[in-house]
Amino acid sequence: MPTTGAPTAAPTPVPTPATGSPTAPPSPIPTSPRPSAIPSPGPTAYCGGGYEWNGLGCDECGVGKYSNLTAGKYNVSSQVRTCILCPAGRYQKKTGQGSCDACDDGELSLSDRSDCGFCSSGTFVYKGISCEKCPEGTYAPRAVADACIDCFEGGHTGQALAADSCQSCDSGTYSEEKAVNCSTCVVGTFSGTSFSACISCDPGKYSEAGASTCTSCSAGTYSSQVGSMNCTDW
């Protein structure tokens, strides 16, 4: 009898390669960019006593000035972050200081607070504690109390501050009260010394600017108007 062999296993089929393009990997889910952080404001720069901030660094306070971060100093209710003049009755000879020194009894602080002493010409005594420069249009031959003297009409001090005299204006010029400088008379007018206004020339006369007198028209010429600048031929 023929022998029956063991059953033969069916061969494993060879895999068929996939047709077409390979499947692309999935795209990542788009994400929105994170918002930029709001920049923090830079710190406000403050300098120590005796200095002030100039935008880039700290500058020393000059002579006669101070700054101090202590509120209430010298009756100032807030901090003094910028350099200011020392109070009346005090002074400071050095730079970069956070305080001012008191004047000795009987002395007054100078107008620039650089020292103490006695008031000079061109200044006045302010409340018995400081010397202050005479303001514009005023003068003081020697220090006076409370206020300087007004310069008179027809005079001038010659300088804006701390004048020690009031001088008469020259002929051909004029000034109102409390003048620093004299003004020149315009054409057709004239003035003498210490005039507060210029006077127009009469008919038959004329003048150039800055004249001290009017000039009569020469023969064959005339001026029929007041304040003429020249004469006209007949």
Side-chain angles (χ1 to χ4, degrees):
M1 174 176 285
T3 303
T4 303
T8 304
T12 302
V14 178
T16 303
T19 60
S21 301
T23 304
S27 300
I29 298 174
T31 57
S32 300
R34 293 182 179 180
S36 301
I38 299 175
S40 300
T44 303
Y46 294 120
C47 302
Y51 294 81
E52 66 180 357
W53 180 250
N54 64 10
L56 298 175
C58 295
D59 287 340
E60 278 189 330
C61 293
V63 171
K65 296 183 177 182
Y66 80 102
S67 69
N68 194 292
L69 303 186
T70 302
K73 195 172 186 66
Y74 306 137
N75 295 321
V76 178
S77 59
S78 60
Q79 295 178 335
V80 179
R81 300 187 184 278
T82 58
C83 299
I84 63 173
L85 202 65
C86 290
R90 293 181 175 272
Y91 73 101
Q92 182 50 257
K93 293 183 177 182
K94 300 177 181 178
T95 60
Q97 300 301 303
S99 63
C100 303
D101 300 319
C103 295
D104 293 335
D105 290 341
E107 291 191 341
L108 309 171
S109 56
L110 303 185
S111 57
D112 62 1
R113 306 299 191 267
S114 62
D115 205 347
C116 294
F118 300 100
C119 297
S120 60
S121 59
T123 67
F124 67 97
V125 180
Y126 174 72
K127 294 185 178 180
I129 53 178
S130 66
C131 305
E132 301 300 329
K133 295 178 181 179
C134 290
E136 183 173 312
T138 66
Y139 71 103
R142 61 178 182 275
V144 293
D146 301 327
C148 296
I149 306 167
D150 291 345
C151 190
F152 54 83
E153 291 182 345
H156 66 111
T157 61
Q159 61 187 68
L161 299 174
D164 59 8
S165 64
C166 178
Q167 302 291 329
S168 296
C169 291
D170 294 333
S171 57
T173 66
Y174 72 99
S175 75
E176 298 179 350
E177 187 181 32
K178 300 178 67 173
V180 174
N181 297 303
C182 300
S183 301
T184 302
C185 291
V186 300
V187 294
T189 66
F190 75 100
S191 76
T193 304
S194 301
F195 273 42
S196 60
C198 299
I199 302 173
S200 296
C201 294
D202 293 330
K205 296 183 178 181
Y206 73 98
S207 74
E208 298 180 350
S212 58
T213 60
C214 295
T215 304
S216 297
C217 293
S218 58
T221 64
Y222 74 98
S223 65
S224 59
Q225 302 294 323
V226 173
S228 294
M229 60 184 295
N230 53 37
C231 296
T232 305
D233 292 337
W234 287 102

